[in-house]
Amino acid sequence: MAPSPRVVIIGAGIVGTNLADELVSRGWNDITVVEQGPLVMPGGSTSHAPGLVFQTNSSKTMSEFAKYTVSKFLSLEQDGQSCFNQVGGLEVATTPARLEELKRKRGWAQSWKIETHLLTTDECLELYPLLDRDSVLGGLHIPSDGLALAARAVQLLISRTTKAGVRYLDMTPVTDIERSDGKVTGVTTPNGSIPADIVISCAGFWGVEIGAMVGLPIPLLPLAHQYVKTGSLQALNAPNKPVNGADLPILRHQDQDLYYREHGDRYGIGYYGHRPMPVVAASLGSTPKHVDDKNMPSRLDFTSEDFKPAWEASKKLLPVLREAEITDGFNGIFSFTPDGGPIVGQHPTFDGFYVAEAVWVTHSAGVAKALAELLTTGRSEVDLADCDLARFEEVQLAPAYVSETSQQNFVEVYDILHPMQPRESPRNLRVSPFHARQQELGAVFVESRAWERPQWFEANAELLQDLPAQWRPVSRDVWSARFHSPISAVEAWKTRTAVAMYDMTPLKRLEVFGPGAADLLQKLTTSDISKHPDQATYTLMLDNGGGILGDVIVARLEAHSFHVGVFSPTALDYISRTARQYSKQTPNQWTQVRDITGGTSSIGLWGPLAPSIMNALHAPSIANLPHHGFCRTFIAGIPVLALRLSHVGELGWEVYTSAEFGQRLWDVLWAAGQAYGVVAAGRAALNALRMEKGFRDWGADMTSEHDAFEAGLGHLVDVGKEGFVGEMAIKGRSEGNSSRRLRTMTVDDGRSVVLGKEPVFYDGRAVGYVTSAAFAYTIRKLIAYAYLPGEVVDGAAVEIEYFGRRVRATVTDEPLSNVPARRERAQVSSRAVEPVRARL
């Protein structure tokens, strides 16, 4: 058995101690945990965290982390007492909008297999008698929620892991990370060096300073959050109740940004409704030698003026507080990130340095388990895309961006947010070369990874009157109608019947080159990419367990040069890291990876009349390309790379050029397309059209928790290919022997346009959840994808729960828009139109 690597964990809070425990349980035995404060109370966020654990989250990953944390803390016992008080959780609604939101949240809980119950006002009062009856409209009860005894858990974990051989060094700040030849070798402390093969920073809000030691921006912002305790209340007094004991469920009053828990006969109240109060961690200094409940770096002075609205709202919801006083309060520091997720992963260019930061107690054990799996087996059982360090683009790591977006996340932490709701600021950080033309056409932009992306174009509104009856969208319910426009129907119609231009610039493009490039891409993908130049391959990247890391488009430009399209920053990180490691192992077979997205632009020209535009521009080399063929050529003097592929299932091409020629390329295609009824089209139409054709969206319809056969992409695994990552894991698998498969459903109720993550029921039980959904304009039905058990066959009746109401749906085969007779030609210019070529 190979010796376990030498591991140094920085931070002995709830994450670091859990990680040490998870690694020990997997057989690693050379682990040192260094802590700048005293072990008895390190002084970070763990030391003052109120410990409320509400498991239900819009993110499946975050809910899985929380579920595991509850399970582990329940099992962590001493003297008959666990580290989790499972009093349950209650979220109350005091507005009709919140009541509807609780129905949506219950849907998430059913999707993630968390027991919940919607309660009436009377049921809320029965469960929690201290509530004001006139304020509460209803609630959501989660029986398995409760209070994590975080400080106690840390001490028990330290005791358990110490017995297993873990070494703890307290009062030992890390002053540097030692490295050699691009790899970690140890950490420096005032007491000397500690050698290490792996270093993991679990330093919480001090993680920014640790990351800076290795040139790694950590996109988190420490923010102060108010918490108070009241004086003794007779209503909470019970015989033999512990000082910090609790009998009532933990309580959320999100309409006023408040939460509540018992501390024996006192109330604890947390408040998010105050102004954001950012903190610079470096200004707090190191942890003092003496730390207690009221003397720790993460506990700042209470600003009572900020809490006044919370106190008035609390007295209204809980009348018993009208006779109480606040006896203690503080502003406690927690870490917030631009998207609310934790930060987990490896340094992009420095091997052996990992982070697990911005992790709250709620998710602590789950994150530790996932990272331990990643370290010991190379993959986590839970998909980590929502918390991967590499998920941020470079511009999103800028301190100003991190500060503004993290503060906004603090403000919105309890807000009712629509899944299509655009970020208001910062905006216009990244725009394509077509942006000015899109503005002229009335583009309605959404922000995605700091890119401005058109959702639809107001200029197309005038075409609504020409829309054939069978293409007209149905009226939507109020929720799904938000951030939606019927104009998307026009753009879908024109794509299917004429031609449309899509801005594909934000999709990431890489240049992979060098003598080892072909071998590298062969190793990383499921298809044979050793085709001769001028051929592209749509393929998958898998992890070593067969889970899907991403779908990629590989175009071989020359023998040792490839144009690679990927769909996330994490894919770039994976390819770049692997290329660097392989180049070290075989220097004469080096490979370089360059992200060329910012210097290039891309237009998707798709529709049955797209060839007419290319012929009008005298570009036969493009018009005559075979499926997945590509060529370098000129369009009206503009150097382009044209690739025949489609994200919407129509004939056409992605046309790439450098950013300097981008606007001219748009103008040339736009002018030539006027004779054929060309329109600009946005993401809303694209999403609907790609689903009609059965195309998957990585991150939603497929993740590392799914294999190619479950996702219906087994045809992308070349039979007979050997040696690629994940090959052994998927050997013998097929769609036929998969226990679940991604299936298409058509929804019978056309007005309830589900948006994703809603639970799917079969024979009365929840068996899956919606991964993607859209209104399919071509067939005039709502469609949705979900992973369903293999027993669910075509034609089966299922139900989707939408805001507490079951909506009937039918499982159907795909693709849905393959019937040529369904199409009607769009009205175009009276000029002659060439015959439509065969579709893709």
Side-chain angles (χ1 to χ4, degrees):
M1 182 176 178
S4 71
R6 299 168 299 174
V7 177
V8 170
I9 298 171
I10 303 172
I14 194 67
V15 181
T17 53
N18 260 300
L19 179 58
D21 185 63
E22 294 291 335
L23 289 173
V24 163
S25 72
R26 287 164 174 77
W28 284 18
N29 55 24
D30 192 346
I31 301 168
T32 302
V33 182
V34 293
E35 169 56 51
Q36 66 175 352
L39 284 183
V40 67
M41 185 174 282
S45 298
T46 301
S47 300
H48 68 72
L52 288 80
V53 175
F54 288 94
Q55 299 166 85
T56 306
N57 192 287
S58 61
S59 163
K60 178 178 181 291
T61 294
M62 299 297 280
S63 288
E64 292 294 341
F65 288 161
K67 286 165 62 179
Y68 181 77
T69 299
V70 168
S71 173
K72 181 170 183 177
F73 284 14
L74 280 170
S75 69
L76 193 58
E77 292 186 350
Q78 187 178 62
D79 300 327
Q81 182 185 359
S82 79
C83 289
F84 193 78
N85 186 0
Q86 202 159 39
V87 291
L90 176 63
E91 304 190 29
V92 294
T94 59
T95 63
R98 181 66 61 181
L99 192 60
E100 291 302 301
E101 175 69 358
L102 293 184
K103 294 175 184 177
R104 185 166 73 117
K105 184 171 287 187
R106 180 173 185 262
W108 297 337
Q110 291 179 110
S111 293
W112 318 146
K113 302 190 182 308
I114 300 170
E115 180 188 354
T116 56
H117 306 280
L118 286 169
L119 305 185
T120 64
T121 299
D122 286 345
E123 290 169 330
C124 287
L125 269 292
E126 184 178 347
L127 184 66
Y128 207 112
L130 300 181
L131 291 168
D132 177 50
R133 176 180 295 276
D134 293 335
S135 297
V136 176
L137 301 181
L140 181 69
H141 179 220
I142 313 94
S144 58
D145 284 350
L147 290 164
L149 310 181
R152 185 171 188 270
V154 166
Q155 297 308 310
L156 293 187
L157 287 167
I158 289 174
S159 174
R160 183 160 84 181
T161 53
T162 298
K163 292 175 184 176
V166 175
R167 183 170 61 140
Y168 284 86
L169 303 175
D170 66 351
M171 308 308 297
T172 307
V174 170
T175 58
D176 198 11
I177 308 296
E178 299 169 6
R179 49 205 183 273
S180 176
D181 193 27
K183 193 178 188 318
V184 69
T185 58
V187 300
T188 304
T189 76
N191 303 321
S193 296
I194 305 172
D197 304 303
I198 295 172
V199 172
I200 307 122
S201 176
C202 304
F205 56 80
W206 282 292
V208 175
E209 281 64 45
I210 300 296
M213 294 178 186
V214 289
L216 179 64
I218 303 294
L220 70 79
L221 181 72
L223 284 159
H225 160 61
Q226 292 197 303
Y227 193 79
V228 304
K229 292 180 182 179
T230 69
S232 177
L233 289 163
Q234 185 61 36
L236 297 182
N237 203 352
N240 303 317
K241 191 175 185 180
V243 173
N244 282 308
D247 299 318
L248 291 169
I250 54 176
L251 178 66
R252 264 181 175 168
H253 179 22
Q254 291 173 289
D255 287 319
Q256 294 294 332
D257 300 302
L258 287 159
Y259 63 83
Y260 306 86
R261 62 156 293 181
E262 294 170 88
H263 292 278
D265 62 357
R266 308 164 72 193
Y267 256 118
I269 307 172
Y271 183 45
Y272 286 107
H274 55 78
R275 61 191 168 92
M277 294 184 271
V279 178
V280 179
S283 68
L284 301 174
S286 58
T287 303
K289 291 184 179 180
H290 173 72
V291 175
D292 58 35
D293 287 345
K294 296 188 178 182
N295 178 39
M296 62 181 76
S298 59
R299 178 178 166 133
L300 305 181
D301 292 340
F302 183 59
T303 52
S304 58
E305 196 68 24
D306 289 305
F307 197 77
K308 283 184 177 180
W311 185 235
E312 293 305 312
S314 294
K315 289 188 290 185
K316 186 175 188 305
L317 182 72
L318 299 167
V320 68
L321 293 176
R322 295 169 190 171
E323 307 302 321
E325 293 182 353
I326 296 172
T327 59
D328 182 30
F330 63 93
N331 292 358
I333 302 175
F334 289 102
S335 299
F336 281 77
T337 61
D339 60 5
I343 301 167
V344 181
Q346 186 176 187
H347 194 296
T349 59
F350 180 30
D351 292 342
F353 184 83
Y354 291 79
V355 299
E357 310 289 20
V359 181
W360 291 12
V361 170
T362 298
H363 311 107
S364 55
V367 168
K369 174 178 179 285
L371 184 52
E373 290 170 343
L374 189 65
L375 289 166
T376 58
T377 70
R379 72 183 301 269
S380 163
E381 291 180 1
V382 175
D383 181 66
L384 295 180
D386 284 354
C387 54
D388 196 318
L389 167 66
R391 71 188 184 271
F392 297 104
E393 298 279 2
E394 184 178 14
V395 67
Q396 295 176 295
L397 300 175
Y401 183 94
V402 172
S403 177
E404 181 176 352
T405 54
S406 298
Q407 290 185 61
Q408 187 62 28
N409 185 47
F410 176 91
V411 170
E412 296 176 345
V413 68
Y414 279 172
D415 286 359
I416 299 171
L417 299 176
H418 193 279
M420 298 303 297
Q421 190 165 331
R423 184 189 297 279
E424 293 183 3
S425 180
R427 295 295 297 267
N428 295 309
L429 296 178
R430 307 176 81 184
V431 299
S432 81
F434 322 130
H435 188 70
R437 297 294 183 257
Q438 292 166 344
Q439 286 180 309
E440 293 169 2
L441 293 169
V444 175
F445 292 99
V446 295
E447 180 266 353
S448 176
R449 296 196 178 108
W451 281 101
E452 295 296 319
R453 304 194 67 180
Q455 193 74 349
W456 66 82
F457 291 84
E458 290 292 334
N460 294 327
E462 62 185 26
L463 296 175
L464 281 168
Q465 61 186 356
D466 301 327
L467 199 59
Q470 61 267 43
W471 283 87
R472 289 174 188 164
V474 298
S475 61
R476 295 182 173 221
D477 65 279
V478 173
W479 180 256
S480 65
R482 295 182 66 193
F483 310 107
H484 164 77
S485 171
I487 294 172
S488 298
V490 168
E491 295 170 4
W493 168 57
K494 295 288 273 186
T495 305
R496 285 275 184 255
T497 61
V499 61
M501 290 167 56
Y502 290 82
D503 183 359
M504 307 303 290
T505 301
L507 298 187
K508 197 167 284 295
R509 291 171 294 284
L510 314 179
E511 186 180 70
V512 181
F513 61 96
D519 288 343
L520 171 74
L521 293 173
Q522 277 287 76
K523 182 78 174 178
L524 295 184
T525 63
T526 59
S527 306
D528 181 9
I529 57 87
S530 63
K531 299 174 181 177
H532 59 77
D534 303 335
Q535 283 291 303
T537 305
Y538 177 58
T539 184
L540 300 175
M541 294 191 302
L542 309 180
D543 63 23
N544 59 18
I548 300 173
L549 292 179
D551 51 337
V552 297
I553 300 164
V554 180
R556 190 169 197 169
L557 304 177
E558 297 172 358
H560 303 302
S561 178
F562 295 82
H563 175 102
V564 179
V566 299
F567 296 92
S568 72
T570 55
L572 165 62
D573 178 73
Y574 175 61
I575 296 171
S576 298
R577 183 192 315 283
T578 310
R580 181 168 46 79
Q581 292 170 345
Y582 282 17
S583 295
K584 275 186 178 180
Q585 296 168 7
T586 54
N588 62 332
Q589 289 291 302
W590 58 268
T591 302
Q592 289 287 321
V593 179
R594 287 200 311 129
D595 182 357
I596 61 173
T597 311
T600 56
S601 60
S602 173
I603 294 174
L605 183 71
W606 296 314
L609 303 186
S612 301
I613 294 178
M614 285 303 175
N615 286 328
L617 289 169
H618 305 291
S621 57
I622 297 177
N624 295 324
L625 281 173
H627 184 50
H628 277 182
F630 67 89
C631 66
R632 288 166 161 164
T633 186
F634 293 89
I635 295 177
I638 303 166
V640 299
L641 173 67
L643 172 58
R644 184 180 156 182
L645 62 79
S646 170
H647 293 272
V648 298
E650 289 293 338
L651 184 60
W653 307 267
E654 274 197 36
V655 184
Y656 313 100
T657 191
S658 58
E660 63 192 307
F661 297 117
Q663 183 168 297
R664 175 162 168 72
L665 177 63
W666 179 281
D667 290 344
V668 166
L669 294 176
W670 184 256
Q674 294 309 299
Y676 306 101
V678 70
V679 298
R683 292 181 71 193
L686 187 147
N687 184 57
L689 296 174
R690 66 97 184 167
M691 288 192 67
E692 291 177 2
K693 294 298 296 184
F695 295 164
R696 297 356 184 180
D697 182 23
W698 185 84
D701 305 320
M702 51 183 174
T703 71
S704 63
E705 296 180 18
H706 311 110
D707 69 34
F709 302 101
E710 293 172 330
L713 297 174
H715 60 283
L716 299 183
V717 180
D718 277 11
V719 177
K721 182 180 178 182
E722 297 180 346
F724 62 89
V725 176
E727 177 209 356
M728 298 307 297
I730 64 172
K731 190 177 287 293
R733 298 187 194 178
S734 68
E735 289 189 19
N737 64 21
S738 295
S739 61
R740 61 178 180 177
R741 287 188 296 147
L742 187 66
R743 304 304 307 274
T744 300
M745 301 170 292
T746 57
V747 180
D748 300 339
D749 177 359
R751 291 192 71 248
S752 299
V753 182
V754 301
L755 299 174
K757 305 184 180 180
E758 296 87 355
V760 180
F761 292 82
Y762 178 68
D763 283 347
R765 58 191 175 91
V767 294
Y769 61 90
V770 174
T771 61
S772 289
F775 188 82
Y777 300 105
T778 309
I779 62 170
R780 209 163 182 264
K781 287 185 179 180
L782 169 68
I783 57 174
Y785 289 166
Y787 281 91
L788 301 178
E791 68 202 62
V792 182
V793 298
D794 288 350
V798 295
E799 293 179 308
I800 302 172
E801 184 164 305
Y802 184 68
F803 286 94
R805 181 171 60 89
R806 299 282 177 89
V807 179
R808 290 179 298 178
T810 303
V811 177
T812 185
D813 196 10
E814 59 181 9
L816 297 173
S817 63
N818 242 5
V819 184
R822 178 65 187 81
R823 174 187 292 152
E824 287 197 9
R825 296 288 290 272
Q827 296 298 314
V828 297
S829 168
S830 59
R831 300 183 204 177
V833 176
E834 298 179 6
V836 177
R837 295 186 177 217
R839 299 175 62 207
L840 285 177

